[in-house]
Amino acid sequence: MTMESGKPLAESKGEVAYGVSFLDYYAGEAIRPSSAGGGFIAPSPFTTDTGAPKGKIMAVQEAVGVTAMVTPWNFPIAMITRKVGPALAAGCTAIVKPSELTPLTAIALKVLADRAGVPDGVFELVTSDRESTADVGKEFCINPTIKKISFTGSTPVGKLLMKMSSDTVKRVSLGKIPFVLS
């Protein structure tokens, strides 16, 4: 990361630890009963005339399906682990398009995921140069197999991704994690 982006070595080491912390946290979430495939029951916020709850609300946490993530150059490890960790914990598969400025860091993460035993097709990487980045983003938006897009970057690009995703009614998170509580 230091060689690729010019980030000072101490900051690179800090980001690696930060990125690992996301994976540790979401690995723990994956095995909690209230996580992927789990849920909870809560009293309704609506009340009767006596003030008692009008029933209960059941929240089910479940995978949304294939998720696509577009990450920035400035935190090439942390933004990938922050997005991929919860997607995998929720039972989703993840396709990541890292910044064209820091693809080597993302490739290193993919190699580590493969070595750790992440099954083929569960965590995939799509790299591109600056000229083809928009095409990759468009494919993420219009491909009906992809059910959710998570993007961290500029507001104009986020708006464009949201607009292009409307025909396939994708869930879009701008700077958020890729699972939905429904």
Side-chain angles (χ1 to χ4, degrees), residues 40-148:
F40 59 90
I41 297 175
S44 170
F46 304 105
T47 58
T48 64
D49 293 338
T50 64
K54 272 189 181 176
K56 297 176 183 172
I57 296 174
M58 185 171 106
V60 178
Q61 296 161 315
E62 60 188 4
V64 297
V66 179
T67 60
M69 295 122 181
V70 180
T71 60
W73 67 271
N74 55 344
F75 289 96
I77 289 177
M79 286 298 102
I80 292 174
T81 59
R82 182 180 180 191
K83 293 172 183 292
V84 172
L88 299 184
C92 300
T93 55
I95 306 167
V96 176
K97 191 265 175 230
S99 168
E100 64 277 4
L101 301 175
T102 53
L104 300 178
T105 302
I107 291 168
L109 277 175
K110 172 68 170 127
V111 168
L112 291 172
D114 291 345
R115 286 184 187 169
V118 174
D120 289 342
V122 172
F123 170 46
E124 295 297 332
L125 201 61
V126 177
T127 59
S128 67
D129 58 17
R130 179 162 278 170
E131 290 74 38
S132 60
T133 291
D135 294 331
V136 174
K138 181 178 180 183
E139 181 61 26
F140 282 177
C141 294
I142 65 172
N143 189 314
T145 303
I146 296 172
K147 302 300 181 193
K148 180 170 182 78

Side-chain angles (χ1 to χ4, degrees), residues 29-39 60-63 86-92 179:
E29 281 298 304
I31 61 172
R32 284 188 179 83
S34 61
S35 191
V60 178
Q61 296 161 315
E62 60 188 4
L88 299 184
C92 300
F179 65 87

